[in-house]
Amino acid sequence: MAAIPLDLLDRIRALERQVRELSGRSQMRPAMDTITHGRVTIGEGGSLAVVAPNGRTALSTGQWSDGTYGTRLGRDDGSAAWTIGGSGTDTANMVRMWSRGGSAIVMDDAYSDRHLGRPSLPIPWQPTSGATTNSTTGAVSWYAATRVQCPVFWLGIETYCPANLSARVEMEANTAGSSTWENWQTWTVSGGTAGRWTTNEVTRPAHRLPHFAHITLRIRQTVTSGQGTVSTNVLGSYQRNTFTPGEAPQAPPASLAKTTTATLLGASTTEPVRLSPSAGRDQS
């Protein structure tokens, strides 16, 4: 039998070892914890969840139990910190930040697509010399200026009339670029036979004003009968979210909708490019 060189046998053994390694590796599953290229798609009602060993969900995104879609970020105790969407018609596709106690502390509005829902924002008022007046032609008693953030305005006010005196109180608004004051509400007060304070609340939608539009407000008071002076105090004022669909303001005219601070400052008001097309119109 012819002699076989030892180096050739070594080469055959090495080749056999490599074949065995390749055969074993072909039966191994590739790593499933890394995606290096392409898009991951979860369709047809699917969802993605990151769940801690204790069973609490840190992240979930996809279809909600009511059939809508959204995203939830949770704390390590299981409570929600941030949600997009949720159960119920009033909260469909709303964005909400939650306190640890379970209250929505930041959110868009349920019924008004254009406005902030929470937090409620205070409106500071400044008195004038006409806060106490005997004018029979009308005197401005209080002024305020703000940006429209939430869809509903609220004002608490009180007026004192002495005995046998009656007066008219008006709340008026002026939007940026407007040359006229619009009457938002008018009410009458009377001192009766002994003089008295009369309180009143004004609650109304933002009245076709776009988000972040500048608005100036004023209170006027006029003595309509009797002799003496009338005095008015603003107790408080703020903007808040809608409680019912009927409180949602009407859509602003196209010309007024363009008058926002972002436009005035030359900033872009267009929506950033989306990563994927929307399946439908967002609801608040």
Side-chain angles (χ1 to χ4, degrees):
M1 181 177 181
I4 301 176
L6 292 178
D7 62 339
L8 182 57
L9 293 175
D10 292 338
R11 293 179 182 179
I12 293 173
R13 295 190 188 98
L15 181 60
E16 290 175 342
R17 184 172 60 254
Q18 293 175 3
V19 170
R20 286 195 298 269
E21 290 178 357
L22 290 174
S23 178
R25 289 177 179 176
S26 66
Q27 304 302 318
M28 295 173 58
R29 297 181 62 185
M32 303 295 287
D33 59 355
T34 301
I35 300 172
T36 56
H37 297 286
R39 181 197 304 181
V40 176
T41 301
I42 301 175
E44 298 187 13
S47 61
L48 173 69
V50 177
V51 182
N54 59 11
R56 293 167 179 164
T57 301
L59 166 67
S60 61
T61 183
Q63 190 175 45
W64 294 83
S65 58
D66 65 352
T68 60
Y69 287 80
T71 299
R72 179 186 187 276
L73 295 178
R75 298 183 176 88
D76 57 5
D77 64 357
S79 63
W82 190 271
T83 59
I84 302 175
S87 300
T89 303
D90 298 349
T91 58
N93 288 332
M94 285 182 63
V95 176
R96 288 170 291 177
M97 179 187 296
W98 300 89
S99 69
R100 291 188 296 274
S103 298
I105 55 179
V106 177
M107 69 181 192
D108 49 12
D109 194 80
Y111 301 112
S112 178
D113 294 344
R114 307 185 310 275
H115 295 95
L116 174 72
R118 293 184 186 177
S120 294
L121 302 178
I123 302 175
W125 288 76
Q126 304 299 325
T128 73
S129 59
T132 297
T133 183
N134 61 0
S135 173
T136 58
T137 58
V140 176
S141 57
W142 292 81
Y143 271 115
T146 189
R147 294 283 185 185
V148 177
Q149 295 273 28
C150 304
V152 179
F153 287 99
W154 180 87
L155 169 70
I157 196 169
E158 64 176 5
T159 302
Y160 179 78
C161 284
N164 303 314
L165 186 143
S166 297
R168 180 177 66 252
V169 185
E170 301 168 277
M171 179 181 179
E172 298 177 326
N174 183 284
T175 57
S178 174
S179 59
T180 60
W181 288 87
E182 178 185 2
N183 184 283
W184 272 18
Q185 189 166 322
T186 299
W187 60 99
T188 59
V189 291
S190 174
T193 59
R196 62 190 175 196
W197 287 94
T198 302
T199 59
N200 189 54
E201 293 185 6
V202 179
T203 302
R204 59 165 294 137
H207 192 63
R208 304 187 68 182
L209 296 175
H211 176 262
F212 225 51
H214 176 87
I215 184 172
T216 303
L217 304 166
R218 72 183 185 185
I219 303 297
R220 286 167 47 88
Q221 53 186 0
T222 306
V223 175
T224 55
S225 66
Q227 300 293 323
T229 59
V230 58
S231 298
T232 292
N233 296 324
V234 170
L235 303 177
S237 185
Y238 55 79
Q239 305 174 49
R240 65 163 172 82
N241 63 298
T242 57
F243 295 160
T244 63
E247 288 188 329
Q250 300 176 12
S255 58
L256 184 58
K258 296 179 181 178
T259 309
T260 63
T261 296
T263 303
L264 295 174
L265 295 178
S268 173
T269 58
T270 59
E271 183 180 2
V273 176
R274 299 186 180 185
L275 295 179
S276 59
S278 173
R281 176 181 179 275
D282 290 341
Q283 301 176 2
S284 294

